[in-house]
Amino acid sequence: MKRSKEFRNIGIMAHVDAGKTTVTERILYYTGLTHKLGSVDEGNTVMDSDPQEEKRGITISSAAITTYWNKHQINIIDTPGHVDFTAEVERSLRVLDGTIAVFCAKSGVQPQSETVWNQANHYNIPRIVLINKMDRQGADFNRVVQEIRDMLHANVMPIQLPVGAEDNFTGVVDLITMKALIWNSQDGKNYDVQDIPANMLEEALKARNSLLEELSLYDEVIFDKYMSDPLSITVNEIHTALRTATLQMQVIPVLAAAAYRNKGIQPLLDAVVQYLPSPADIPSVKGISVESDEEIVISTDVENTFAGLAFKIITDEYTGKLTLVRVYAGVLRGGDTLWNSRTGKKVRISRLMRIMSDKYETVEQIEAGDIGAIVGLKDVRTGDTLSHPDHPVLLEKISFPEPMVGYAIEAKSAKEVAKLGEALAKLQEEDPTLTVEVDASSGQTILKGMGELHLEVVIEKLSADYQVEINKGEPQIAYKEVFTQPVVHREVYKKQNGGSGSFAEIQFELAPREDGVAGLEFINEVKGGAIPREFIPSVKKGFEEAMKTGALAGYPVNSMRVRLLDGNIHVTDSHALDFEHAASMGFRDAAKKAVPRLLEPFMSVEVTMPEEHTGVITGDLNRRRGVIRGIEMKASQQYVKAEVPLSGLFGYVNVLRTLSSGRAAASLTFQDYQLVPNGIAEKVIAKG
């Protein structure tokens, strides 16, 4: 376990434009991995190596890179901030041990900040907060700290205070050593350790006292000394207490920086090593033994049999297909044979690589706690568990949101039809939120993704990377259906073909779910063995399959409850498949009587703008069927929060630029599905 204590598998997550790619670039520079300061504005960053990332100045796919700081190996995954690429954040968080949450000192908590924060909560990931862009006009460290407490309900504790702000930001006060760190060189490599400026001493003492008071709640040593003699508390004791509290997610340390101005990054690296967990601090993960179907605990140990999770597929021009793997147990070596949980087949490992963003170096092995890449694995997808063939296990899968927008697409040239199919198959391997369907009625190919930007990027990739030009139709919304009234129905499925026949009879209640959760709630209330137990799963499967096509316009049913009340069998003619057919047929008849309604996706929209544009922009949101939820002033900018149906937001970013002369910006985050007004629903159904 000695080696794994020196690993840090960390992610960097944030809202768009909080500066996380710049933070990563500075980390690579100060750890010696790069020798030139990359800039998002100049399009020469290491992490955003994709041409579209350089063009748009945003991160699209999560990049992975390995670097070193104070004898610790740090595997960094720089994740996108744009909501359209939330799958990249989701799959990265699944395999990380800790994360740096970056916030802009001016903008504070924004909608996508909340989304990624909640994703990190879902996976119980310890984190530290970096309040970046302290050099920006309107930067306010204390306001952002309070916003994080109020809006994210997080127990954040500053371990630094900024020295100055905006153009006067020169460094930070370290509340643990009670020294000021002042940057004095253009490239930020050197900084002076000084006494705290006299005008900040009172504020620093007050902040340090708050930190010690908080830590005393979680550490007995700090508590005893804090009560008797606070001055006797040592730096090492604070580090120990803060590390424990951070790992247990009781406290989240907060630091300050201006990454673009090369200030504050070295203390951030120290904090990553000091406070974020190593794989040894997360001693085990849960899995299911394929042999016994029982839950097992897999400990992070090189002595155990191998278990790992494929969390991303990359198609590289030079190395071919790369499978990024987090190793949870054992050691992975070139030449090993592994078992794939999804296919049930064995795969042989040829070469292993360490990822250096857009460069790769060959390694002999990847051990427990580490992240690496396997070259040339066939039929492996995101979320597949890879394990030792003699001890097959299944790790928790990565769950992804459903795509919400689609385009009908076709190759411009008949010669490129096959080429388009191959390209789409490769893109789907890389991106689990991308789906390709064939519309049963029109025969059109429908490409679905998370939003306009997501699909725009995919279509540009088809052209640039695969040389396939396409025609696309108007955007299509991923509507869903829901039932509003309960219906009791009896269905008899009967068939006679001369020999043995088919028979199944079921009585069930079809109703809306009361808990509002998506999917099927299936309740078996059959008494006295009227339907044998082995046929019940087939009934459930029949309803699950039937939900994929609703009764109104063929859209999937978002959620429903089925109570299986009674049924009947034929002694010789009843089979499991008959009950599946009965459920499917019964659903079609009952669904029409259950008063189905149409649902549409709603987005949470936050617009930032100068105050003089508020009236025209809120008026435009109202015209799009938006509901204004709040207007507030933050650092001389007006912030408008609204809920708007996705159908009203196509092309919105371009319209917003026109309305504000390019001075407004919008953030769109998926919120939920809501009922479509009857008049609009009728048009959608008629169109569909």
Side-chain angles (χ1 to χ4, degrees):
M1 294 296 284
K2 185 183 175 188
R3 178 97 173 98
S4 67
K5 284 183 180 177
E6 295 167 2
F7 290 145
R8 295 293 183 275
N9 295 314
I10 66 163
I12 301 182
M13 61 183 201
H15 182 90
V16 174
D17 203 33
K20 65 188 176 331
T21 298
T22 305
V23 169
T24 312
E25 292 295 321
R26 298 305 181 260
I27 286 174
L28 302 184
Y29 180 69
Y30 297 123
T31 55
L33 195 68
T34 58
H35 304 287
K36 184 184 174 188
L37 290 165
S39 165
V40 173
D41 295 338
E42 294 172 21
N44 61 356
T45 60
V46 173
M47 298 301 273
D48 288 350
S49 54
D50 183 292
Q52 290 199 59
E53 294 180 318
E54 292 172 15
K55 170 184 164 185
R56 298 170 194 278
I58 63 170
T59 303
I60 291 170
S61 63
S62 52
I65 197 162
T66 298
T67 190
Y68 297 87
W69 182 255
N70 292 346
K71 298 180 182 177
H72 287 75
Q73 178 182 314
I74 303 176
N75 297 322
I76 306 169
I77 293 187
D78 176 35
T79 57
H82 198 286
V83 67
D84 279 18
F85 307 104
T86 188
E88 291 289 339
V89 182
E90 193 75 34
R91 62 174 155 201
S92 301
L93 289 173
R94 172 65 179 82
V95 297
L96 295 176
D97 300 325
T99 187
I100 302 167
V102 182
F103 294 84
C104 172
K106 178 184 177 182
S107 306
V109 177
Q110 294 176 275
Q112 187 64 4
S113 315
E114 295 185 59
T115 302
V116 294
W117 192 271
N118 291 334
Q119 285 174 309
N121 284 343
H122 174 72
Y123 289 113
N124 295 315
I125 295 179
R127 69 213 74 161
I128 54 182
V129 163
L130 180 71
I131 297 178
N132 188 32
K133 299 196 176 184
M134 281 302 306
D135 56 324
R136 282 279 290 271
Q137 208 71 29
D140 189 332
F141 180 83
N142 292 328
R143 175 179 56 77
V144 177
V145 169
Q146 196 57 48
E147 274 187 22
I148 297 170
R149 285 176 179 151
D150 295 342
M151 298 174 69
L152 303 179
H153 312 292
N155 189 21
V156 288
M157 289 301 300
I159 60 170
Q160 293 178 351
L161 292 179
V163 178
E166 301 178 348
D167 291 339
N168 296 320
F169 177 70
T170 55
V172 297
V173 169
D174 186 330
L175 297 175
I176 298 172
T177 61
M178 289 301 277
K179 290 288 181 182
L181 313 179
I182 306 298
W183 274 260
N184 54 16
S185 62
Q186 191 70 32
D187 67 359
K189 278 195 171 181
N190 301 311
Y191 58 88
D192 293 330
V193 180
Q194 304 176 359
D195 289 335
I196 297 170
N199 66 336
M200 288 191 68
L201 192 55
E202 186 179 343
E203 182 189 2
L205 287 168
K206 187 178 175 184
R208 178 186 167 90
N209 191 59
S210 295
L211 175 63
L212 294 177
E213 187 179 345
E214 186 64 31
L215 291 177
S216 70
L217 300 175
Y218 311 110
D219 186 280
E220 285 186 19
V221 173
I222 301 285
F223 177 79
D224 291 340
K225 289 192 173 184
Y226 181 73
M227 297 305 288
S228 57
D229 182 11
L231 294 176
S232 68
I233 299 172
T234 67
V235 168
N236 282 341
E237 286 166 348
I238 297 173
H239 283 322
T240 301
L242 190 53
R243 177 176 179 77
T244 302
T246 303
L247 297 187
Q248 294 173 356
M249 295 181 65
Q250 293 164 325
V251 169
I252 298 168
V254 183
L255 299 90
Y260 186 71
R261 303 287 177 202
N262 311 318
K263 296 170 184 173
I265 300 302
Q266 295 95 326
L268 173 67
L269 281 161
D270 290 337
V272 165
V273 168
Q274 284 167 336
Y275 308 127
L276 290 183
S278 72
D281 296 310
I282 301 165
S284 60
V285 292
K286 289 179 181 176
I288 295 171
S289 167
V290 175
E291 294 165 329
S292 64
D293 209 28
E294 292 178 359
E295 187 173 278
I296 56 172
V297 173
I298 300 165
S299 57
T300 307
D301 194 330
V302 292
E303 301 300 324
N304 283 355
T305 52
F306 175 80
L309 188 76
F311 69 94
K312 184 176 170 75
I313 309 295
I314 300 173
T315 304
D316 184 81
E317 187 180 344
Y318 302 105
T319 57
K321 183 178 171 182
L322 290 172
T323 304
L324 304 198
V325 175
R326 164 70 192 260
V327 178
Y328 283 100
V331 179
L332 180 61
R333 298 180 178 88
D336 284 355
T337 298
L338 304 179
W339 182 84
N340 183 333
S341 65
R342 181 180 52 82
T343 63
K345 294 178 182 176
K346 293 179 182 179
V347 291
R348 192 172 184 277
I349 306 303
S350 54
R351 274 195 304 154
L352 299 174
M353 288 188 163
R354 174 135 346 262
I355 310 148
M356 315 301 282
S357 187
D358 58 342
K359 301 181 183 71
Y360 310 95
E361 62 178 40
T362 301
V363 293
E364 291 183 8
Q365 63 183 45
I366 306 167
E367 52 188 76
D370 203 354
I371 289 173
I374 304 171
V375 182
L377 273 192
K378 292 180 180 175
D379 200 16
V380 174
R381 294 181 191 165
T382 297
D384 287 357
T385 300
L386 301 173
S387 57
H388 193 286
D390 295 339
H391 300 278
V393 297
L394 182 62
L395 295 167
E396 181 191 351
K397 289 183 179 177
I398 307 171
S399 57
F400 297 109
E402 292 179 39
M404 291 183 291
V405 180
Y407 290 118
I409 62 167
E410 62 179 14
K412 280 188 178 177
S413 158
K415 295 176 186 174
E416 294 189 327
V417 171
K419 201 174 170 184
L420 174 61
E422 290 170 14
L424 289 172
K426 286 181 180 176
L427 288 169
Q428 280 182 280
E429 269 190 344
E430 293 179 22
D431 186 348
T433 60
L434 197 65
T435 64
V436 178
E437 299 170 1
V438 176
D439 187 282
S441 55
S442 66
Q444 289 179 310
T445 299
I446 310 295
L447 179 67
K448 289 185 177 180
M450 295 305 298
E452 273 187 290
L453 179 60
H454 184 202
L455 291 176
E456 197 181 304
V457 166
V458 169
I459 289 165
E460 283 189 29
K461 272 190 176 183
L462 284 170
S463 173
D465 298 353
Y466 298 97
Q467 287 74 54
V468 179
E469 299 298 330
I470 65 157
N471 296 316
K472 68 180 176 74
E474 291 297 308
Q476 302 176 7
I477 302 292
Y479 291 101
K480 292 190 177 183
E481 298 182 17
V482 69
F483 302 120
T484 57
Q485 296 292 328
V487 171
V488 175
H489 180 80
R490 180 176 290 275
E491 185 69 31
V492 179
Y493 174 70
K494 204 173 181 179
K495 229 174 181 183
Q496 198 67 41
N497 297 323
S500 77
S502 300
F503 181 86
E505 182 179 344
I506 57 172
Q507 185 182 14
F508 61 91
E509 181 195 64
L510 184 69
R513 285 185 71 148
E514 293 175 2
D515 57 11
V517 177
L520 172 66
E521 179 186 6
F522 184 78
I523 305 163
N524 177 22
E525 295 184 3
V526 174
K527 302 284 191 294
I531 302 175
R533 196 188 309 169
E534 62 266 27
F535 292 153
I536 302 297
S538 297
V539 178
K540 184 181 178 185
K541 185 182 175 186
F543 282 115
E544 285 172 337
E545 286 299 311
M547 281 179 76
K548 293 176 182 177
T549 310
L552 264 181
Y555 293 110
V557 176
N558 185 53
S559 68
M560 69 180 191
R561 186 185 71 200
V562 171
R563 289 168 54 222
L564 185 58
L565 306 172
D566 198 5
N568 205 355
I569 64 163
H570 188 281
V571 179
T572 57
D573 289 355
S574 289
H575 310 90
L577 193 60
D578 302 337
F579 280 90
E580 195 175 319
H581 287 320
S584 182
M585 291 166 61
F587 169 86
R588 283 198 291 271
D589 289 337
K592 295 167 188 169
K593 304 169 193 170
V595 193
R597 291 280 305 274
L598 211 57
L599 294 171
E600 63 181 333
F602 262 67
M603 307 298 283
S604 174
V605 178
E606 184 168 310
V607 186
T608 313
M609 75 206 96
E611 192 173 3
E612 61 265 30
H613 297 294
T614 306
V616 67
I617 286 171
T618 53
D620 180 65
L621 287 169
N622 285 327
R623 281 191 294 277
R624 297 170 187 271
R625 290 197 289 128
V627 178
I628 308 298
R629 293 298 184 198
I631 301 175
E632 62 177 305
M633 202 78 177
K634 264 196 218 176
S636 78
Q637 290 273 65
Q638 198 85 332
Y639 281 68
V640 174
K641 288 186 178 180
E643 293 174 14
V644 189
L646 179 59
S647 59
L649 289 170
F650 290 114
Y652 179 64
V653 173
N654 292 330
V655 172
L656 185 64
R657 286 197 195 108
T658 305
L659 292 175
S660 65
S661 305
R663 297 176 69 196
S667 168
L668 284 66
T669 311
F670 172 70
Q671 182 170 304
D672 56 15
Y673 271 85
Q674 296 181 23
L675 289 171
V676 180
N678 288 329
I680 293 169
E682 285 167 12
K683 291 176 186 174
V684 172
I685 293 164
K687 206 174 174 184

